[in-house]
Amino acid sequence: MKAYKNPRFLDSADARLLRIVSEFIEPQSRFAHHDIEDTIVFMGSARAPSPETVSQASTSSSQSPAVMAQAYDACRDLARRLTAWSKNLPEDHRRFVVCSGGGPGIMEAANRGASEAGGINVGLGISLPHEQSNNDYITRELSLEFHYFFMRKFWFAYMAKAVVFFPGGFGTLDELFEILTLLQTGKIRKHLPIVLFDRSFWEDAVNFQTLIEHGTISKDDLDLFLLTDSVDEAYTHLTEQLARHGVSEHGVTL
């Protein structure tokens, strides 16, 4: 049996490098086939329910399911509006395609909004022991599943021209601080606007002022992102930044 057709070998520790390289080359081939060069990445909780699944008894703004359902709706609306905007750009390839982590919650909302605007969209799923499958709103040919977190993160960052963070847990916080670290240290050299949506959540979850007071970040580091509660403000900020720094650019630099 040829080595590259031997599943026992391909699943072994000795072939780990081949599996890692596969998670670079196979997605790259798909993106090239669909003429995708850059994305708008949406991050957020897999546990955010859609408004349809929240009972009438849970409509109080003080209750978490209703609050997260509002975040779902905001994400869906923003993804839909950005997709409609990007489809009208005078470019010879698909620009600013919505991309999510592929799962439910905020990720589903992003793919759903893009789909409702008639745009193709990307889902970069991850295989986890107790995790769900990719959501149904992702463009079928662009629904990917990764084994290695770091390869999935690579594709998030490599093609992103903007990233929007909605309320989320450990995974969202991990992705947020990795992106901010890459920007702060200059490892990401392209212009990459960041939006943190839901001011009260982010101010409660991360006390940026404490980091400044302890000298662990500078005040200027807060300029790396926009903190907002408004879909209109997020949309205006992102479209202005992308029009200024991204529309005339082809490819990305990371």
Side-chain angles (χ1 to χ4, degrees), residues 70-142:
Q70 292 171 8
Y72 180 107
D73 248 356
C75 178
R76 177 182 172 187
D77 185 25
L78 182 58
R80 180 172 56 242
R81 292 172 64 177
L82 288 170
T83 299
W85 171 79
S86 69
K87 288 176 66 181
N88 288 319
L89 293 172
E91 293 290 322
D92 58 0
H93 64 286
R94 293 187 173 101
R95 300 307 310 264
F96 313 124
V97 174
V98 165
C99 174
S100 83
I106 294 298
M107 296 173 280
E108 176 188 285
N111 295 121
R112 183 177 180 179
S115 178
E116 289 169 343
I120 67 169
N121 59 90
V122 179
L124 305 182
I126 186 76
S127 297
L128 299 174
H130 306 292
E131 193 58 47
Q132 65 294 311
S133 60
N134 281 8
N135 69 71
D136 294 333
Y137 296 99
I138 305 166
T139 301
R140 176 185 292 184
E141 298 84 356
L142 296 169

Side-chain angles (χ1 to χ4, degrees), residues 48-70:
S50 67
E52 299 94 329
T53 63
V54 177
S55 69
Q56 294 298 316
S58 300
T59 56
S60 167
S61 62
S62 65
Q63 293 180 325
S64 180
V67 172
M68 292 303 290
Q70 292 171 8

Side-chain angles (χ1 to χ4, degrees), residues 77-200:
D77 185 25
L78 182 58
R80 180 172 56 242
R81 292 172 64 177
L82 288 170
T83 299
W85 171 79
S86 69
K87 288 176 66 181
N88 288 319
L89 293 172
E91 293 290 322
D92 58 0
H93 64 286
R94 293 187 173 101
R95 300 307 310 264
F96 313 124
V97 174
V98 165
C99 174
S100 83
I106 294 298
M107 296 173 280
E108 176 188 285
N111 295 121
R112 183 177 180 179
S115 178
E116 289 169 343
I120 67 169
N121 59 90
V122 179
L124 305 182
I126 186 76
S127 297
L128 299 174
H130 306 292
E131 193 58 47
Q132 65 294 311
S133 60
N134 281 8
N135 69 71
D136 294 333
Y137 296 99
I138 305 166
T139 301
R140 176 185 292 184
E141 298 84 356
L142 296 169
S143 182
L144 293 89
E145 183 171 335
F146 289 81
H147 176 77
Y148 297 103
F149 263 114
F150 65 90
M151 288 307 305
R152 180 180 184 238
K153 286 182 175 182
F154 168 82
W155 282 114
F156 277 137
Y158 182 65
M159 294 200 302
K161 285 296 180 66
V163 188
V164 187
F165 290 92
F166 281 81
F170 291 155
T172 304
L173 293 170
D174 172 50
E175 290 152 349
L176 169 63
F177 283 112
E178 182 153 11
I179 290 290
L180 290 178
T181 299
L182 292 171
L183 284 169
Q184 183 195 53
T185 58
K187 292 297 184 181
I188 289 180
R189 300 190 298 276
K190 62 189 174 186
H191 184 79
L192 186 66
I194 306 295
V195 171
L196 305 189
F197 194 91
D198 191 334
R199 178 182 293 272
S200 64

Side-chain angles (χ1 to χ4, degrees), residues 8-33:
R8 184 175 178 181
F9 167 69
L10 293 175
D11 290 337
S12 70
D14 291 334
R16 182 174 291 115
L17 180 59
L18 298 180
R19 297 195 298 274
I20 292 170
V21 171
S22 294
E23 293 201 340
F24 174 79
I25 295 175
E26 199 268 353
Q28 183 182 53
S29 176
R30 290 205 215 186
F31 297 140
H33 178 74

